[in-house]
Amino acid sequence: MNPFKFGTIVEGDFFTDRVEETAVLLQKLDSENHIVLISPRRFGKSSLVQKVLSQVDRPQIRIDLQYVMSVDDLAAQLLKAIFKIYPMEKVRHAMTHFRIAPTLSMNAVTGAMEVSFQPTAKASVLLEDAMAVLEKVTTAENRFIVVLDEFQEVVKIQKGLDRQLRSLMQRQHNLNYILLGSQESMMEAIFEKKGSPFYHFGQMIRMGKIPYDDFHKYITDRIDAEDVADEILQFTACHPYYTQQLASQVWEMMRWQDTHCGIVEKAVVALVEMHDLDYERLWQNMNRTDRYTLKQLALSQMPMQNRSQASSTSYSSLLRLMKAGYVVRVPQYEIEDPFFRRWILKNVQ
Ligand SMILES: Nc1ncnc2c1ncn2[C@@H]1O[C@H](COP(=O)(O)OP(=O)(O)OP(=O)(O)O)[C@@H](O)[C@H]1O
Ligand SMILES: [Mg+2]
């Protein structure tokens, strides 16, 4: 079986490093503090949190705000998650305060409890009542951990939701929130801007790439060739997802080819070709300034490693590309996807 895995949460043998981050998270969970975990996309936030949560024996709730449609949907998802942990009979006493009783039904296929509300119910009231249930079921002996993934979406679901959530969270005790986010600029605005409801809400942890030496060992334990591991990491610059993707492709190709020579380059070419259509579509949808910025970055000719060096047009292009996730700052600006970078170098003259 291919010993590399990419795209989903990784656990067990597919998971490497993150020793320090794991220790910090475990320590924070052992306090009354909340955690804010930030990194660019696909650096391994969800995998890290999954690993940490598997080491603590406490009730856990995970909600991905990307898939929350509205405030009442958030209330419903919260209740649904609580019912998954405790059967209805056990939490009924915690629901006597409900001003608008939810309708509960059993999903015959999944066996899970579905929660819905009257369409006329006021969403903010529903959320307040649902959060109050959480407050009642979490106790000093059985402290809940609530993970809200893609937290930056909070400001998109509904205006004012951030403020309401913050004031509800403030009332709760005996639980930890872990808030994850991948759009760094938005997460920073939420947690670091004075006046924002979540200003200094919890301990902010920024997750970087996986260190070179650890990743190198991870690869050579699975592909017995130091030079191949070096080439892979050189191409991906230790990006967790792209490293696993490229290593997986190399491993696959090694089954049919007995020489290591040039195999990483062949794997890169194959992966760039596989994504050719996607990259072309991406490129077509970009404006000329953004194309120019990307080209400069691909050529590593970006003069603007700080704001003062950049013209306002190119700086706003950079910000736009960062917001859309095509460019990351780690700490220098670079194209997020090394295969896209290669595609640009190949196609754009
Ligand atoms: N600790 C790790 N060891 C090895 N590979 C990892 C590790 N963490 C992440 N990866 C690689 O990165 C991929 C993405 O990980 P994960 O989904 O946890 O990241 P994420 O930051 O939550 O991503 P997203 O921004 O999409 O939510 C994994 O599928 C895996 O290939
Ligand atoms: Mg994730």
Side-chain angles (χ1 to χ4, degrees):
M1 214 177 84
N2 196 314
F4 299 100
K5 188 176 168 188
F6 57 95
T8 50
I9 286 177
V10 284
E11 295 172 275
D13 278 349
F14 296 108
F15 188 97
T16 182
D17 191 64
R18 303 299 189 206
V19 181
E20 249 169 65
E21 291 92 340
T22 305
V24 172
L25 285 181
L26 284 172
Q27 184 208 335
K28 291 288 159 211
L29 287 177
D30 209 12
S31 74
E32 274 288 289
N33 297 306
H34 304 302
I35 299 161
V36 179
L37 183 61
I38 303 186
S39 82
R41 294 225 60 186
R42 297 186 280 202
F43 264 37
K45 295 175 295 298
S46 299
S47 301
L48 171 65
V49 167
Q50 173 90 353
K51 181 180 176 188
V52 168
L53 292 189
S54 72
Q55 293 178 20
V56 287
D57 186 18
R58 285 168 55 183
Q60 300 162 7
I61 290 179
R62 289 178 87 127
I63 296 176
D64 190 331
L65 294 193
Q66 229 178 159
Y67 305 117
V68 170
M69 301 302 156
S70 56
V71 176
D72 47 326
D73 187 25
L74 178 59
Q77 290 203 29
L78 196 58
L79 288 177
K80 207 175 137 178
I82 295 172
F83 296 148
K84 238 187 191 164
I85 299 171
Y86 294 126
M88 186 54 210
E89 304 76 62
K90 233 182 141 186
V91 279
R92 200 188 297 274
H93 73 278
M95 294 179 66
T96 47
H97 63 280
F98 264 67
R99 286 162 283 183
I100 304 151
T103 308
L104 309 179
S105 54
M106 170 86 91
N107 183 320
V109 180
T110 61
M113 195 69 92
E114 297 293 341
V115 181
S116 57
F117 301 105
Q118 292 165 20
T120 50
K122 198 163 175 240
S124 59
V125 172
L126 300 175
L127 183 62
E128 192 175 339
D129 287 354
M131 288 287 271
V133 178
L134 178 61
E135 199 177 325
K136 287 183 187 171
V137 292
T138 186
T139 61
E141 297 74 42
N142 222 7
R143 301 167 64 236
F144 270 64
I145 298 174
V146 182
V147 181
L148 300 179
D149 212 337
E150 302 296 348
F151 188 76
Q152 73 279 350
E153 297 285 320
V154 72
V155 293
K156 292 192 205 156
I157 296 171
Q158 192 180 301
K159 195 165 183 283
L161 173 60
D162 54 347
R163 200 160 291 279
Q164 191 198 1
L165 255 188
R166 173 67 217 250
S167 78
L168 294 173
M169 285 170 164
Q170 212 154 13
R171 286 189 223 155
Q172 297 171 328
H173 300 284
N174 294 321
L175 84 171
N176 301 102
Y177 279 98
I178 305 181
L179 311 180
L180 310 183
S182 51
Q183 285 190 22
E184 289 163 288
S185 51
M186 284 174 79
M187 287 294 278
E188 276 159 15
I190 292 171
F191 294 101
E192 292 189 332
K193 215 168 92 191
K194 271 197 183 139
S196 159
F198 279 92
Y199 178 64
H200 284 183
F201 175 73
Q203 162 98 20
M204 173 99 79
I205 301 172
R206 282 169 198 279
M207 217 169 79
K209 293 173 178 174
I210 291 173
Y212 192 93
D213 291 347
D214 292 297
F215 232 164
H216 195 272
K217 181 169 180 335
Y218 177 84
I219 299 170
T220 49
D221 282 348
R222 291 157 180 78
I223 294 176
D224 189 17
E226 302 253 334
D227 53 335
V228 169
D230 279 328
E231 272 182 67
I232 289 173
L233 290 171
Q234 209 164 3
F235 183 82
T236 62
C238 294
H239 189 299
Y241 172 89
Y242 296 114
T243 305
Q244 292 257 25
Q245 186 181 29
L246 182 53
S248 164
Q249 180 73 21
V250 169
W251 188 89
E252 205 57 57
M253 291 169 83
M254 274 183 162
R255 295 167 71 176
W256 316 111
Q257 190 179 318
D258 36 11
T259 162
H260 291 164
C261 189
I263 198 149
V264 176
E265 177 58 21
K266 276 189 196 157
V268 168
V269 170
L271 284 166
V272 171
E273 252 167 42
M274 246 181 255
H275 294 120
D276 186 57
L277 260 182
D278 299 330
Y279 293 148
E280 194 177 332
R281 200 168 304 136
L282 256 179
W283 192 256
Q284 276 169 358
N285 285 329
M286 278 176 182
N287 67 34
R288 300 194 78 78
T289 323
D290 290 355
R291 288 182 189 176
Y292 179 77
T293 308
L294 284 172
K295 187 181 162 193
Q296 295 299 101
L297 279 174
L299 291 165
S300 305
Q301 284 177 356
M302 208 60 179
M304 47 169 85
Q305 288 305 335
N306 65 56
R307 189 175 188 157
S308 60
Q309 290 171 349
S311 72
S312 65
T313 337
S314 51
Y315 190 70
S316 53
S317 162
L318 211 50
L319 285 187
R320 197 163 45 237
L321 290 166
M322 276 191 0
K323 203 167 167 201
Y326 300 124
V327 171
V328 288
R329 192 176 181 184
V330 281
Q332 74 288 6
Y333 295 106
E334 63 184 43
I335 296 176
E336 189 262 350
D337 176 352
F339 300 103
F340 186 35
R341 173 172 187 249
R342 172 60 77 85
W343 182 90
I344 294 170
L345 290 173
K346 181 179 144 212
N347 291 286
V348 183
Q349 307 306 326

